[in-house]
Amino acid sequence: FPHFPCSPTPLGVLPSFGFLFDIDGVLVRGRTPIPAARTAFQKLVNSQGQFLVPVVFVTNAGNCLRQKKADQLSHLLGISQDQVMMSHSPLRMFKHYHEKCVLVSGQGPLLDISQDLGFCQPITIDTLREKRPLLDAVDHDRRPNVLVSGDFSVVLFGEPVRWETSLQLIIDVLLTSGYPGNPYKQENYPHIPVLACNMDLMWVAEAQSPRFGHGTFMVCLENIYKKITGKELKYEALMGKPSRLTYQYAEHLIRAQALQRSWEQPIQTLYAVGDNLMTDVYGANLYNRYLQETAAHCRSVLVCTGVYTPHTELALDTRDSIPDTVFHGHRDFRFDPALVEPDHIVPDVDAAVDLVFQLENFAPN
């Protein structure tokens, strides 16, 4: 965890809340900073540049290391990589898979990312493509030693560049239990484990309209698998917003920051600030339901600088009549109109910070 200098905090301004900030569509659009972000962050730090409240940046991006994402935000303020949570960050907890051979799909420095998370034997789609000859299924000596059947899994980090290649080879691996080149066997079910990060159907960059996200790639993979086998593709784990796993891990990071700063006031409320109804709002509200057994809360704050724009979305009071057919969430998450109802809607992240400080009667010196 990052080193937070333990300077004393004046009485009366100890935070009992923390922020979970989405990045794309909230702080930046593509590589372009959103102007309100700079103003917002001036309110979140003191004159020494220390955060006044615990803050974690929770992004569904998974195509780079945490440090690179922290560096990309350095134009706003200096942050530690331990304040950045990528969609794949919870994979650190999946130690059971770290010693196994894993086929990794996505883009960016996949081997570096995999090894940073603890995986010892990652294999990229490109490596598999290069080493996979036409195989004689009977001649064991000619089988490649790249994959080890029976102790093998697939990790989907994010949308790849060449979708057709990744879709083909992942299907090959699933239908042959890790021996692509062998004939498909329908009895290979349940298939080898699949762990997926980032279920966003779409995301916002500089373009005027949203772009395909990893969730779209997953829709393709799921439907191809079902079309060929007649069975559902199963996930060992889904992470990234809106999964509960992601918010649990983010809450752990928030509480660790408070501990580092010796803030003794218990963290009672998490404010999740995002631009996407189906990930940020749905995820925060879903986690709030989970927290109902405790004294803590997770509140959803929707900004209008990204995927969500008030001009194109259906009016909130008609949300109950939205049919399942327009649910942009992942197949394994149930559509519930209440879960896409934000607790607050604000124009931008600066207004979100103002709102939360007002709600919490938080007036730092």
Side-chain angles (χ1 to χ4, degrees), residues 122-187:
I123 298 166
T124 66
I125 294 284
D126 283 344
T127 299
L128 178 58
R129 181 173 56 88
E130 290 163 7
K131 298 205 173 192
R132 177 180 175 265
L134 293 175
L135 301 178
D136 181 348
V138 178
D139 186 352
H140 289 231
D141 293 333
R142 289 179 60 196
R143 288 179 176 171
N145 58 9
V146 183
L147 303 180
V148 182
S149 181
D151 205 25
F152 188 75
S153 54
V154 177
V155 177
L156 307 176
F157 280 111
E159 63 272 20
V161 176
R162 292 184 301 273
W163 286 31
E164 73 285 356
T165 300
S166 295
L167 289 168
Q168 179 69 73
L169 293 184
I170 293 168
I171 290 291
D172 286 341
V173 166
L174 293 177
L175 294 183
T176 61
S177 292
Y179 279 122
N182 278 9
Y184 289 173
K185 290 185 177 179
Q186 293 292 336
E187 61 266 24

Side-chain angles (χ1 to χ4, degrees), residues 270-306:
L270 302 176
Y271 289 94
V273 182
D275 68 311
N276 193 321
L277 285 170
M278 300 301 177
T279 54
D280 301 305
V281 172
Y282 185 109
N285 291 345
L286 186 67
Y287 193 55
N288 189 58
R289 284 187 180 177
Y290 167 74
L291 291 175
Q292 283 178 346
E293 298 175 6
T294 71
H297 303 281
C298 185
R299 301 302 185 204
S300 54
V301 183
L302 183 67
V303 299
C304 303
T305 49

Side-chain angles (χ1 to χ4, degrees), residues 46-189:
N46 62 19
S47 56
Q48 287 79 46
Q50 299 170 305
F51 278 98
L52 298 165
V53 298
V55 171
V56 171
F57 302 90
V58 187
T59 175
N60 269 357
N63 59 353
C64 66
L65 293 162
R66 288 180 302 160
Q67 186 60 58
K68 182 175 180 183
K69 187 59 74 172
D71 292 344
Q72 288 172 355
L73 294 175
S74 62
H75 57 270
L76 295 173
L77 76 171
I79 66 170
S80 160
Q81 68 166 355
D82 292 296
Q83 289 176 276
V84 175
M85 185 174 164
M86 311 294 289
S87 62
H88 49 62
S89 293
L91 283 170
R92 295 177 187 281
M93 300 187 295
F94 285 78
K95 297 184 186 299
H96 173 66
Y97 292 97
H98 289 177
E99 299 298 324
K100 295 185 177 183
C101 201
V102 293
L103 177 67
V104 295
S105 169
Q107 53 184 294
L110 289 174
L111 293 180
D112 291 342
I113 293 168
S114 302
Q115 289 160 359
D116 181 63
L117 291 167
F119 292 101
C120 300
Q121 301 183 69
I123 298 166
T124 66
I125 294 284
D126 283 344
T127 299
L128 178 58
R129 181 173 56 88
E130 290 163 7
K131 298 205 173 192
R132 177 180 175 265
L134 293 175
L135 301 178
D136 181 348
V138 178
D139 186 352
H140 289 231
D141 293 333
R142 289 179 60 196
R143 288 179 176 171
N145 58 9
V146 183
L147 303 180
V148 182
S149 181
D151 205 25
F152 188 75
S153 54
V154 177
V155 177
L156 307 176
F157 280 111
E159 63 272 20
V161 176
R162 292 184 301 273
W163 286 31
E164 73 285 356
T165 300
S166 295
L167 289 168
Q168 179 69 73
L169 293 184
I170 293 168
I171 290 291
D172 286 341
V173 166
L174 293 177
L175 294 183
T176 61
S177 292
Y179 279 122
N182 278 9
Y184 289 173
K185 290 185 177 179
Q186 293 292 336
E187 61 266 24
N188 287 333
Y189 193 85

